[in-house]
Amino acid sequence: MKKSPFVGRWALPGGLISDHETTLAAAERILREETGVTGVYLEQLMTFDELKRDPAGRVVSVAWFALLPDGELELHTSEKYAGVEWRPISRAKNLAYDHNKILQAAVDRLRAKLGYTNMVWSLLPTKFSLTELQTVYEIILDRELDKRNFRKKILAAGLLKATGSQRIIGAHRPAALYSFKTKKLIVTNIIS
Amino acid sequence: MKKSPFVGRWALPGGLISDHETTLAAAERILREETGVTGVYLEQLMTFDELKRDPAGRVVSVAWFALLPDGELELHTSEKYAGVEWRPISRAKNLAYDHNKILQAAVDRLRAKLGYTNMVWSLLPTKFSLTELQTVYEIILDRELDKRNFRKKILAAGLLKATGSQRIIGAHRPAALYSFKTKKLIVTNIIS
DNA sequence: CCAAAAGTGTTCAGACTACACCCATGT
DNA sequence: ACATGGGTGTAGTCTGAACACTTTTGG
């Protein structure tokens, strides 16, 4: 929650870099300080430098975004950052500063890169079912995908390996669990 | 040409921003000061901030790239910037600082975006033949394209309009000249 | 008439889309 | 037995790739 003129609005986590710190290191530090999250995928988004984006003065922001699995968000709230929350995009409207623009840019980037990289691995736990994977795609692309076609394409991409293990949730047939062969960023064709 | 430890190496144009200047405005200004070029397409590339990228001290660079038609480069060389030259990528090796990395990032970006935007308009004069357009694609993608397939796809994309005029160069059949319907950036599918 | 660039269609293979039913489990 | 999510195949359409000859001009 921010002060005037952004009273009561939410904002993305942010902070200042020091003279001997890269923006990547600063992003990792700030993410850790404000949320406790470490060891996740980080990617430089872009730099926002409109003259009046912060009413308090000139601020040039090098924006980074993190991707992490839904399960691992165990938000640690220190006293200093007690107001921190995870929110779905749908409830992250009307942010302070130009943070709506930043968030939108991050969503656009993610949406585009899902189609030609394997970066979705950073949004899933080590083992996952194909249905879970499909759900991630559907959320980000904001449209439904055909189950059979999705499985054909994602398996044909050759990025997954079957773990052999299964998971049963509720009174259903067990789901085979897969994992990514590699957690390096690969550029290829995956989903159209 | 740069001083120690980059004696005799070339570098990309660059400069400092002022407190009341966006990086876009600075990019436009520096490009104008060093080359005389104005009114061209500019796009933010990314920010380079490794701690030791400039041996003289901490420098965070927000890199932008410009696209301009081959014909319009009339390089004005002021006294201050007498050493400025246009060079093909193939003769832009071994640059000072991390400028090889920056240049490579720009080439990668351009190569990728040619396939799904109409930004190639910024690399051509107002009127151009389909062969000229194809040549631009071939240079940037660094591979040959089939003439018939190229024409089918580029015309099917619907971004061009025939101007009705023709151009004759040498003892050849005249080439029909086309122009882009719009010079706004459009995201669509063009060339695979 | 010759040289050189402009212009033009068809065929084949692979990819994408749409679509419906059976399977395995816990209750 | 039933409710629920997991899992599978095929037919039709579309897209991309390969490929060669005719046209128009100036010299």
Side-chain angles (χ1 to χ4, degrees):
Chain A
M1 296 293 184
K2 294 292 162 178
K3 50 197 170 180
S4 175
F6 296 120
V7 181
R9 302 222 205 149
W10 292 89
L12 302 172
L16 302 174
I17 63 169
S18 80
D19 275 358
H20 302 291
E21 185 182 43
T22 62
T23 58
L24 170 58
E28 287 171 338
R29 175 179 55 76
I30 293 161
L31 183 63
R32 175 168 31 82
E33 287 174 356
E34 300 198 10
T35 69
V37 169
T38 59
V40 297
Y41 178 87
L42 282 163
E43 177 172 321
Q44 193 189 116
L45 182 56
M46 67 177 296
T47 295
F48 296 83
D49 74 326
E50 289 296 314
L51 295 179
K52 295 181 177 160
R53 53 186 295 277
D54 186 337
R58 182 75 193 279
V59 177
V60 174
S61 290
V62 182
W64 289 70
F65 65 91
L67 301 180
L68 52 155
D70 192 25
E72 300 185 15
L73 29 80
E74 299 163 18
L75 190 60
H76 109 139
T77 48
S78 64
E79 188 169 326
K80 186 171 175 195
Y81 298 109
V84 175
E85 268 191 34
W86 296 106
R87 306 185 73 106
I89 299 281
S90 57
R91 286 193 293 128
K93 313 281 188 198
N94 202 21
L95 302 176
Y97 312 107
D98 56 356
H99 289 191
N100 289 309
K101 208 187 290 184
I102 296 175
L103 185 58
Q104 188 58 48
V107 171
D108 291 346
R109 171 81 62 89
L110 179 57
R111 200 168 275 171
K113 288 188 82 166
L114 269 195
Y116 65 92
T117 72
N118 66 341
M119 74 194 290
V120 69
W121 66 257
S122 57
L123 292 165
L124 286 159
T126 305
K127 295 180 175 189
F128 51 86
S129 70
L130 293 183
T131 301
E132 289 167 339
L133 180 58
Q134 181 176 343
T135 302
V136 172
Y137 272 91
E138 289 180 337
I139 290 170
I140 297 169
L141 298 178
D142 196 27
R143 61 190 168 95
E144 294 192 347
L145 301 173
D146 180 83
K147 183 161 50 158
R148 281 168 291 189
N149 294 337
F150 178 82
R151 286 166 186 239
K152 256 181 296 182
K153 270 192 280 190
I154 207 76
L155 292 174
L159 301 168
L160 302 182
K161 58 173 184 237
T163 63
S165 52
Q166 297 188 324
R167 180 196 296 142
I168 298 179
I169 299 179
H172 311 306
R173 175 170 175 174
L177 297 182
Y178 290 79
S179 63
F180 281 90
K181 284 182 184 168
T182 175
K183 293 198 171 179
K184 302 284 179 200
L185 190 66
I186 291 178
V187 175
T188 175
N189 250 34
I190 304 189
I191 294 288
S192 61
Chain B
M1 296 295 184
K2 295 292 163 180
K3 49 196 171 181
S4 175
F6 297 120
V7 181
R9 303 221 206 148
W10 292 90
L12 301 172
L16 302 173
I17 64 171
S18 81
D19 275 358
H20 302 292
E21 184 183 44
T22 61
T23 57
L24 170 57
E28 287 171 337
R29 174 180 55 76
I30 292 162
L31 183 62
R32 175 168 33 79
E33 288 173 356
E34 302 199 8
T35 70
V37 168
T38 59
V40 297
Y41 177 87
L42 281 163
E43 177 171 320
Q44 192 189 118
L45 182 56
M46 67 177 295
T47 295
F48 295 83
D49 74 325
E50 289 296 316
L51 296 180
K52 296 180 178 162
R53 54 186 294 277
D54 186 336
R58 182 75 194 279
V59 177
V60 174
S61 290
V62 182
W64 289 70
F65 64 91
L67 300 180
L68 51 155
D70 192 24
E72 298 185 18
L73 29 80
E74 297 162 21
L75 190 60
H76 110 137
T77 49
S78 63
E79 188 170 327
K80 186 171 175 195
Y81 298 108
V84 174
E85 269 191 33
W86 296 106
R87 304 182 74 100
I89 300 279
S90 57
R91 287 193 291 128
K93 311 284 189 195
N94 202 21
L95 301 176
Y97 312 108
D98 56 356
H99 289 190
N100 289 308
K101 208 187 291 184
I102 297 174
L103 184 58
Q104 187 58 49
V107 171
D108 291 347
R109 171 81 62 89
L110 178 57
R111 200 167 276 170
K113 288 186 84 166
L114 270 195
Y116 64 91
T117 72
N118 66 343
M119 72 193 292
V120 70
W121 66 257
S122 58
L123 292 166
L124 287 158
T126 306
K127 295 181 176 188
F128 50 86
S129 69
L130 293 184
T131 301
E132 288 167 340
L133 179 58
Q134 182 176 341
T135 301
V136 171
Y137 272 91
E138 288 180 334
I139 289 170
I140 297 168
L141 298 178
D142 195 27
R143 61 188 169 97
E144 294 192 346
L145 300 173
D146 180 84
K147 183 161 51 160
R148 280 168 291 189
N149 293 337
F150 178 82
R151 284 164 187 241
K152 258 181 293 182
K153 270 191 281 191
I154 207 76
L155 292 173
L159 301 169
L160 302 182
K161 58 174 184 237
T163 62
S165 51
Q166 297 187 324
R167 179 195 298 143
I168 298 179
I169 298 180
H172 311 304
R173 176 169 175 174
L177 297 181
Y178 290 79
S179 63
F180 280 90
K181 284 182 184 167
T182 175
K183 293 197 171 183
K184 303 282 181 201
L185 190 66
I186 291 179
V187 175
T188 175
N189 251 31
I190 304 190
I191 294 288
S192 60

